[in-house]
Every structure is written in structure tokens, then in C-alpha cells.
Amino acid sequence: MERWTYRWARRSDMQILNTELDAAAWNHLARLMEFACTKPEWILLCFEDGILADALVLAAPSEFNLPLEIIRLPGRHDTRIDFLRLFQPVIEKAQALGVRELYCAVTEESTDAFSLSRAGFYRWRKVVRFESTGPVDLGVQGYRSAKVGDFTRTEIIALVEKTSERCADSQIELCRQRLGGIADAEMTLQMMEATRYDPQWWRVALGPEGHRLGIIFLVVAFGEPTLGFVGIIPECRGQNAASFLLTEAWSAMKRQGHSTLCAEADAKNLSMHRLLTKSEFNRRSQKQEWRLEL
């Protein structure tokens, strides 16, 4: 008789997951479920001799999106499961849903790297996670902000395109190369619109004469308040406009009761690291992100 059995979860399995996952894994899954970023039929369970040994979750930024990420939720029990066999049905499920690419982030020393490679994933980029518990007003002068909703959609797409130029983010660079600047900017805006957010969190930075200098989108993605995008036009970088925008948007989110804001930055995007560190975001972790094109 086979030692391991696999099946897709049902609503009734949530109690099993609550019991068998460690606290961190359960809290992560509960948040994804609360914000409709996943659903039971997107969770593949692996049982070893009838006891939950492992689980893989397909997750989307919000309830309006197709899943983009695979998250592993290991059980409490030490096991030598064939991770590739666990992975394959999840990839097939994503394909059936119409997904074109998937991501999976693991610690750099993770033993899952070999299985990810065998499943067709390739190393994509290293991602650094930062967190803040409150906005920091650096006393930046000379700027004011306006709601994104005060501008036309064409104006916002043009601003996103301009602020994405010569950035150090691998994902933005790839999409600009494949799609072109305007198409990438439009896709970025659509992705932001597909998440949960309040219009007060989306701000445009204006200079003394009213010129548009930069833009920021804060969203609730994968169930947590997140810096979705921030960009400054190249000729105005290094003049604290990004710090001003971050304070404006984070302050609005904080007033609405959110206690923590997270940000994930490409490891090579040192300008983003400087912005976050200056605004008193704390560096929490670094992971290797893997990418699969379907």
C-alpha cells in the first residue's frame, strides 16, 4: 500500500489544517482564505499514513485575479516526501485555470530548489522583504500630492511608464522588454486595480509648478497591506520625492486602521532599499524567487 496519498482540499479540511500546520503556516493560510486569495480547491494536501505531511497552495493577490504564486505549507511531521510529485498536480491545476506564469519563493538554503528545477522552474530573482509599523515624516519640503483619481487613465498610464524607465526591478525590466513601456504600464495599473485598495492610498507627487513627478500605489495583496508600486521620473530621482509619496500614502492607510505595511524589493534594487530604510522599514528576510512559464 502506498505510503503517501494526495487530494485537493475541501472546506471541511480547514480544521485538519488548523490542527496540523504550525502557527505561522496556519496564520498565513487563514489570511489568504479571509481575503479570498485562495480557496480549498486550490490547496493540494499530502497525507503520510493518514497524517497531513505537506500542502501546496495556489494563491492570487486578490479574489479578482488568477493565482500567481505557489506557497508551501509544511506539516508538523518530518517527512521525505517526493516534492516534485506534490508539485505537478498544482502546476496542472494552474494551467487549467488559464495561468501563464507561476512564481514560488523559498529560502536560499531550501532543499526545495532541486525539485523546483526539475518541475521546470528557473531561478528568477532574489527578493528582500521589508516591514514598517508606522509612517515616518521626514519633513520633505517642496512637494504636494494629489489623488490618482484626479487624473485621466491615459495620464496615469503615461506617468507609470515614465517612472518605470531605468529601474532596477527585474520584473519591470522583463515586461518592458516583452511588451513595451506603455503596455507594461497599463498592465501594472490593471494589476493594482485588481487588488483591494482605497483611492486615498494612491497618490501622485507634484512639484512646485504642478508638474507630475511620481506615483505610488498601496494595496492589500495576498491579504496584507503592501507597497504595490512606487516610481519617480528619472530626472527627479534622489530628491526625496519618493520618501514624500511613501509618507503621504502610508499615513492615509494608517489612519484607516492598518498597523503594518510590507514591501518586497528586488535584491539588486538598491535605490528601493535606501528609500525603505530611510523611511524606517525594517528588513525581515530574503528569498530566492523561482519562475515558471506555462
Side-chain angles (χ1 to χ4, degrees), residues 9-15 17 21 25-43 57-60 62-63 71 73 196 222-223:
R10 300 180 290 266
R11 180 68 59 177
S12 58
D13 290 317
M14 293 303 103
Q15 184 57 50
L17 287 163
L21 295 177
W26 169 251
N27 289 338
H28 191 180
L29 178 59
R31 186 175 67 246
L32 293 173
M33 294 292 293
E34 178 185 357
F35 287 88
C37 298
T38 190
K39 53 189 77 174
E41 59 266 32
W42 288 4
I43 305 172
V57 178
L58 280 169
S62 79
E63 69 267 39
I71 300 167
L73 299 174
R196 297 188 182 191
F222 296 104

Side-chain angles (χ1 to χ4, degrees), residues 67-84:
L68 293 177
E69 186 170 336
I70 297 179
I71 300 167
R72 188 182 184 193
L73 299 174
R76 296 178 184 272
H77 306 281
D78 185 25
T79 183
R80 301 183 65 181
I81 187 174
D82 183 350
F83 189 39
L84 179 62

Side-chain angles (χ1 to χ4, degrees), residues 220-234:
V220 177
F222 296 104
E224 61 182 356
T226 302
L227 173 57
F229 178 88
V230 60
I232 304 298
I233 61 175

Side-chain angles (χ1 to χ4, degrees), residues 127-179:
V127 177
V128 182
R129 180 184 173 90
F130 294 82
E131 290 181 2
S132 168
T133 56
V136 176
D137 187 352
L138 300 177
V140 177
Q141 302 294 318
Y143 303 111
R144 62 186 177 89
S145 74
K147 293 185 295 185
V148 165
D150 293 342
F151 303 89
T152 68
R153 188 175 185 82
T154 299
E155 289 173 327
I156 293 304
I157 290 172
L159 183 57
V160 172
E161 192 278 330
K162 185 67 174 176
T163 60
S164 297
E165 289 181 4
R166 303 200 302 273
C167 73
D169 185 282
S170 302
Q171 190 70 30
I172 293 176
E173 288 178 342
L174 175 67
C175 291
R176 284 176 65 87
Q177 291 170 3
R178 288 186 171 181
L179 304 174

Side-chain angles (χ1 to χ4, degrees), residues 75-119:
R76 296 178 184 272
H77 306 281
D78 185 25
T79 183
R80 301 183 65 181
I81 187 174
D82 183 350
F83 189 39
L84 179 62
R85 184 172 178 185
L86 182 66
F87 229 93
Q88 201 57 46
V90 177
I91 294 172
E92 293 170 1
K93 169 80 80 170
Q95 286 178 308
L97 291 168
V99 174
R100 299 179 61 183
E101 58 187 9
L102 279 173
Y103 297 85
C104 184
V106 297
T107 59
E108 294 183 83
E109 66 275 9
S110 173
T111 58
D112 296 340
F114 178 66
S115 296
L116 284 166
S117 180
R118 289 174 62 204

